[in-house]
Amino acid sequence: MPKTISLALLLLLALGVGLPAQDEQIDIWDNKPLGPTVPIPPIGPPRVNRELKDNRVSQKLPGTPVLLAENGRARAAIVIPAESNERQYIAAKRAAELLQAKVLASSQATLPIVNDGDPQPFRIENGKLRVIANNDVFDYAVLIGDNGFAAENGVAAKDLPEEGFLLKVVDNAICIVGDYDSAIYAVIDLLEQYGFRCLWPGELGTITPKLPTFAVQPIQISDAPALHQRHMRSSDTYKPRPWNLPPKRQDWFTPAELGPYDDYGDRPLAGLYNLKFAPRHMQHWAPAKADWSLWHRLGGSRRVGAGHSYGYAWEKYGKDHLDYFALLKNGSRHPLPVNKPYRFQLCYSNPEVIEAIANDRIEALKAGASTASLSPNDGGGGNAPCMCVRCRKLDIANAEPITLPSGDPYVAISDRHFHCFNLITEKIIAAVPDARVAVIAYSQYRNAPLVTEIHPKLIVGFVGLSYHDADYNQNCREHWDRWANKAMQLYWRPNLFYGTKGILAVYATELAQDIKHLYRTGMIGTDIDTFGQDWATLGLNYYIVPKLLWNPAADPEAIIQDYCQAGFGPAAAAIREYFAEVEKISQRAAREVSARAKARAMADADNDDPARGRLHWAAFSAAYSQEDYGRLHAILDRAKQAAGADEAISQRVDFLRAGLNFTAIRARAFDVCFQNPGNKEEKIAAVNAQYDFFKTLYIKYPFAVNVAFLGWWDGNTWTRQGLKITPENSLLDR
Ligand SMILES: [Zn+2]
């Protein structure tokens, strides 16, 4: 056991925290922590202090341009390695197909793709490389992947850093190599230089310059990402877990309606059902969003995640080992409600639980699992942490205040949890020395422990930072810093965009500064959850994240200016002003949420809790005054005027305006239902106004807000107010 942990355990024991005597009665529920009061340690200087460095190097070369297309005619052929199952071939093919599609859209020319090998597609004529494809000879070539010509000119994948790429124009050829999947990133880099952009998914957000003649200037570019795990998880791909309730999709849709869309997540399907959309109405969604994620180079060569991981436990241990489970306020160790046992918590202070979990994980790792997750089940349904005497002895008496699901005040249980996670990790590592063990720091155990050190092999995913509550965010920043000094491997797993439930908000600049800080202090990657796909209201925030994950040194203002320029041309200045105004309102709204949270005691360490969250979202949307709406519309009017006869730009302005209108209608529903409750008729009218709006919005701008996801979430929200999305709201014909 590492020295630091031994010391922490000794400290705990010295402070009187230990297991009770055999005969001690431990099944006493109380909300009084029984651990010591300790001095709150200062945060101290960061353990890791990385510099922000841009890895991209671009250099102009002498020579003449490489023509991809000339007056709408293909002038270059794309050569990829011989067909195989190898990563290099698959990555090169993907890169080639993207280049081919983009040049076709831009130049109306189809560049042929040919395989290197037999027969050799090259020949040398007058000292120049020629490519034979489709019985034509092409004077220019794009060579993707390793080949002899590229290697002779110093372009080879073996020399690259992890996920790095190199693009070099050599004579009449563009040579591209990439490590892992990175050949395609080189193509994207090149296309971005010529004005291609992907602002949001779908045609309207895709910027394709018209280049009948597409000439690539001689250049050399190399780059590699700062982080090798750049995950942003879409909210609407949530799939039922094996232990979860059987999916209801068969009750919602006929097999014919589900058809090829049976792989949609449960949440969007539930939302579509609530709103009376058929799955086919969403058919363009998944591919368009995948295109956006690819363009923004999300993914990466590493994958660490730690999902809620004890969903199986009740079924496996509930019958014979009731003492493995949490003692609840009602004095029982049975799950609440009985139909949600997959959310039930464990009694981690029970040494048999430590043993059982470690053995389960060791078994899974030996069977090929890539990671052992130790993350507790998600909350909900009254499933509180165990409050037995033995567990409470592990809780530090003066840890930060939290509110239990029962509504009782308590203290953060991070020391208890991480004390036990360390013990489990130690057992796993003893059996599988190279095991990857991970856990999230979330909810009642989000805060860094006060006395417990973290096992050096335990990877921690910090669930914090979202931009709708200023105080909460400040608290998250402090706890990130505490974690950064404790965990040897720390990744960021925020519920980042959940905060405003589709309500218009801009916090791109603040977010970029936070990502820079996280990177500097040791972040190894991200697993960003709740990427909600509300592109007309939160799109700028989405846009900035992958750019910063690739290059934390990037200038956020330059990215925003580029977004405005690329998408809005002559209206760019007005759109920049619009985002700046929304950013000011968003900051004000986040402060108001904090103030109301204090006044109404609705904030705690876990403000992702949905019941409390509804009040947060109501308070956030209430910050938009009629004057704000008027001012924002006036700015968009000016943008519209500046767009003139440019139909695409004009429509993009309308797209943003749709988000603004959505916000006003939704704010009204939150206001009438939660903030200043009206009578039932008023509530129904306000709730239903949203769905009338959804109908026109979805048909015109399907990517403006995530109608399917909101249909799911709203189903829960308004039902709790005695309101339902009724069949009368039928939106689109099944
Ligand atoms: Zn317990």
Side-chain angles (χ1 to χ4, degrees):
M1 185 173 281
K3 200 172 172 193
T4 46
I5 293 178
S6 310
L7 285 174
L9 289 178
L10 282 173
L11 178 64
L12 277 173
L13 290 168
L15 290 165
V17 181
L19 303 180
Q22 281 285 310
D23 53 354
E24 190 180 337
Q25 170 59 263
I26 65 162
D27 275 16
I28 302 168
W29 190 98
D30 198 354
N31 64 328
K32 186 177 173 340
L34 299 175
T37 299
V38 301
I40 305 293
I43 295 173
R47 183 178 59 82
V48 177
N49 200 354
R50 275 191 298 207
E51 65 169 313
L52 302 175
K53 185 173 148 286
D54 185 353
N55 292 326
R56 187 173 185 276
V57 180
S58 156
Q59 183 192 350
K60 281 185 182 153
L61 300 175
T64 51
V66 172
L67 284 180
L68 297 181
E70 191 175 33
N71 299 321
R73 198 166 61 85
R75 294 296 313 274
I78 306 169
V79 184
I80 60 176
E83 200 166 337
S84 75
N85 290 324
E86 284 180 21
R87 175 150 226 130
Q88 153 131 243
Y89 166 74
I90 295 163
K93 183 165 180 278
R94 216 162 60 125
E97 285 169 354
L98 179 73
L99 181 64
Q100 187 186 50
K102 289 292 179 182
V103 173
L104 176 62
S106 176
S107 312
Q108 309 300 309
T110 302
L111 311 190
I113 300 173
V114 292
N115 291 101
D116 198 356
D118 197 25
Q120 249 300 332
F122 304 110
R123 71 169 185 245
I124 305 289
E125 249 174 47
N126 302 326
K128 292 227 172 203
L129 190 72
R130 300 276 179 263
V131 181
I132 303 129
N134 303 346
N135 300 319
D136 268 331
V137 179
F138 290 84
D139 296 336
Y140 299 95
V142 181
L143 311 177
I144 305 180
D146 280 322
N147 62 61
F149 178 83
E152 276 168 29
N153 289 284
V155 184
K158 68 174 171 46
D159 303 327
L160 298 170
E162 184 170 356
E163 284 192 87
F165 67 75
L166 172 62
L167 179 154
K168 185 179 179 185
V169 173
V170 179
D171 205 1
N172 58 331
I174 303 172
C175 301
I176 294 171
V177 287
D179 177 63
Y180 197 70
D181 284 342
S182 291
I184 199 163
Y185 302 151
V187 169
I188 292 163
D189 185 304
L190 181 73
L191 291 168
E192 285 227 336
Q193 287 176 63
Y194 288 87
F196 294 78
R197 294 288 184 279
C198 189
L199 304 183
W200 58 80
E203 204 181 329
L204 189 61
T206 303
I207 312 297
T208 307
K210 292 284 163 255
L211 300 170
T213 295
F214 194 155
V216 174
Q217 299 303 317
I219 196 167
Q220 174 170 327
I221 309 160
S222 63
D223 201 359
L227 292 167
H228 300 292
Q229 175 163 325
R230 304 175 301 280
H231 291 298
M232 278 168 76
R233 264 195 275 147
S234 179
S235 299
D236 55 14
T237 54
Y238 175 89
K239 288 277 177 59
R241 310 286 172 90
W243 56 81
N244 213 331
L245 297 175
K248 293 212 183 87
R249 49 185 66 204
Q250 293 85 346
D251 302 335
W252 300 329
F253 300 107
T254 65
E257 284 173 320
L258 274 173
Y261 316 114
D262 200 19
D263 63 341
Y264 282 10
D266 259 17
R267 288 174 180 175
L269 280 180
L272 293 173
Y273 171 74
N274 285 340
L275 297 169
K276 312 301 167 209
F277 283 88
R280 70 183 150 79
H281 292 128
M282 303 290 289
Q283 59 184 294
H284 55 289
W285 265 62
K289 286 185 288 194
D291 287 350
W292 188 89
S293 293
L294 176 66
W295 187 269
H296 291 277
R297 313 194 273 201
L298 288 172
S301 51
R302 301 185 200 172
R303 183 164 194 108
V304 176
H308 303 292
S309 68
Y310 304 107
Y312 68 95
W314 179 256
E315 200 178 315
K316 182 166 181 181
Y317 299 114
K319 198 156 161 272
D320 299 327
H321 300 283
L322 201 57
D323 61 329
Y324 283 16
F325 295 89
L327 176 70
L328 298 180
K329 194 177 183 179
N330 63 10
S332 92
R333 290 181 185 260
H334 284 86
L336 276 177
V338 289
N339 63 352
K340 282 198 172 178
Y342 60 90
R343 289 197 176 231
F344 200 28
Q345 305 297 332
L346 300 173
C347 177
Y348 291 98
S349 65
N350 183 342
E352 287 180 28
V353 169
I354 305 291
E355 192 70 33
I357 294 168
N359 287 339
D360 289 348
R361 299 299 178 273
I362 291 164
E363 197 181 307
L365 286 165
K366 287 183 172 166
S370 63
T371 306
S373 170
L374 306 185
S375 299
N377 293 336
D378 210 350
N383 283 315
C386 184
M387 295 296 275
C388 77
V389 170
R390 195 177 49 204
C391 280
R392 285 187 287 124
K393 284 194 175 186
L394 294 171
D395 297 331
I396 301 301
N398 59 328
E400 262 191 74
I402 64 163
T403 306
L404 294 169
S406 57
D408 297 288
Y410 198 58
V411 292
I413 58 171
S414 308
D415 279 89
R416 174 208 302 195
H417 269 26
F418 281 89
H419 166 75
C420 299
F421 298 153
N422 283 340
L423 297 176
I424 302 168
T425 305
E426 190 58 29
K427 282 184 188 293
I428 296 173
I429 296 294
V432 187
D434 60 347
R436 199 157 62 181
V437 189
V439 68
I440 53 173
Y442 172 60
S443 184
Q444 298 116 346
Y445 52 98
R446 177 192 54 126
N447 298 349
L450 292 171
V451 297
T452 311
E453 297 301 329
I454 304 300
H455 195 293
K457 290 285 181 89
L458 181 58
I459 306 169
V460 177
F462 179 73
V463 185
L465 289 173
S466 72
Y467 293 78
H468 69 294
D469 182 337
D471 286 355
Y472 167 80
N473 239 18
Q474 208 43 47
N475 184 269
C476 286
R477 290 184 183 112
E478 181 191 321
H479 279 285
W480 170 273
D481 285 353
R482 290 186 180 280
W483 271 116
N485 283 359
K486 277 208 177 251
M488 297 305 287
Q489 300 179 80
L490 183 62
Y491 73 100
W492 186 37
R493 208 232 66 124
N495 290 328
L496 186 58
F497 307 108
Y498 233 29
T500 47
K501 280 292 172 290
I503 302 279
L504 177 62
V506 169
Y507 40 78
T509 312
E510 205 180 343
L511 176 55
Q513 297 308 339
D514 281 331
I515 294 175
K516 285 171 188 280
H517 178 74
L518 267 49
Y519 178 79
R520 267 197 211 101
T521 49
M523 170 169 65
I524 60 168
T526 67
D527 179 17
I528 295 170
D529 201 355
T530 68
F531 174 21
Q533 317 280 344
D534 301 309
W535 294 93
T537 54
L538 298 169
L540 187 66
N541 309 314
Y542 302 154
Y543 192 82
I544 212 152
V545 173
K547 301 250 183 232
L548 268 292
L549 298 183
W550 184 279
N551 172 21
D555 171 13
E557 181 56 26
I559 295 169
I560 297 171
Q561 292 283 0
D562 178 76
Y563 183 98
C564 296
Q565 195 57 50
F568 300 90
I575 295 302
R576 182 67 194 95
E577 189 186 338
Y578 175 77
F579 287 139
E581 280 298 310
V582 176
E583 191 151 23
K584 272 189 234 157
I585 297 167
S586 306
Q587 286 166 354
R588 193 178 75 212
R591 288 195 300 271
E592 281 179 27
V593 168
S594 300
R596 282 172 198 262
K598 268 197 198 108
R600 291 159 62 165
M602 67 183 188
D604 57 22
D606 178 20
N607 74 356
D608 288 323
D609 171 33
R612 291 169 187 280
R614 288 182 179 93
L615 294 173
H616 282 89
W617 298 313
F620 191 95
S621 58
Y624 281 84
S625 68
Q626 288 312 311
E627 196 205 332
D628 291 330
Y629 287 120
R631 199 170 62 258
L632 294 172
H633 275 295
I635 298 172
L636 293 181
D637 289 343
R638 272 193 278 123
K640 186 92 174 161
Q641 226 165 23
D646 191 314
E647 189 52 33
I649 292 175
S650 189
Q651 279 214 29
R652 287 185 201 117
V653 176
D654 290 344
F655 177 83
L656 293 183
R657 198 193 298 273
L660 182 59
N661 288 332
F662 163 82
T663 298
I665 290 168
R666 196 151 179 82
R668 166 90 186 133
F670 274 123
D671 187 54
V672 172
C673 294
F674 301 105
Q675 190 86 357
N676 296 297
N679 64 37
K680 187 147 188 179
E681 286 68 39
E682 287 168 325
K683 286 180 178 177
I684 289 172
V687 168
N688 283 350
Q690 296 183 100
Y691 305 114
D692 289 338
F693 184 75
F694 275 4
K695 184 176 178 175
T696 51
L697 178 68
Y698 181 71
I699 291 166
K700 188 121 200 240
Y701 299 117
F703 293 99
V705 297
N706 189 343
V707 166
F709 183 78
L710 292 177
W712 165 75
W713 192 81
D714 284 13
N716 297 320
T717 306
W718 315 115
T719 306
R720 289 191 190 189
Q721 289 285 307
L723 305 170
K724 277 194 173 169
I725 303 171
T726 64
E728 292 79 64
N729 294 328
S730 179
L731 291 182
L732 288 181
D733 216 354
R734 289 276 287 274

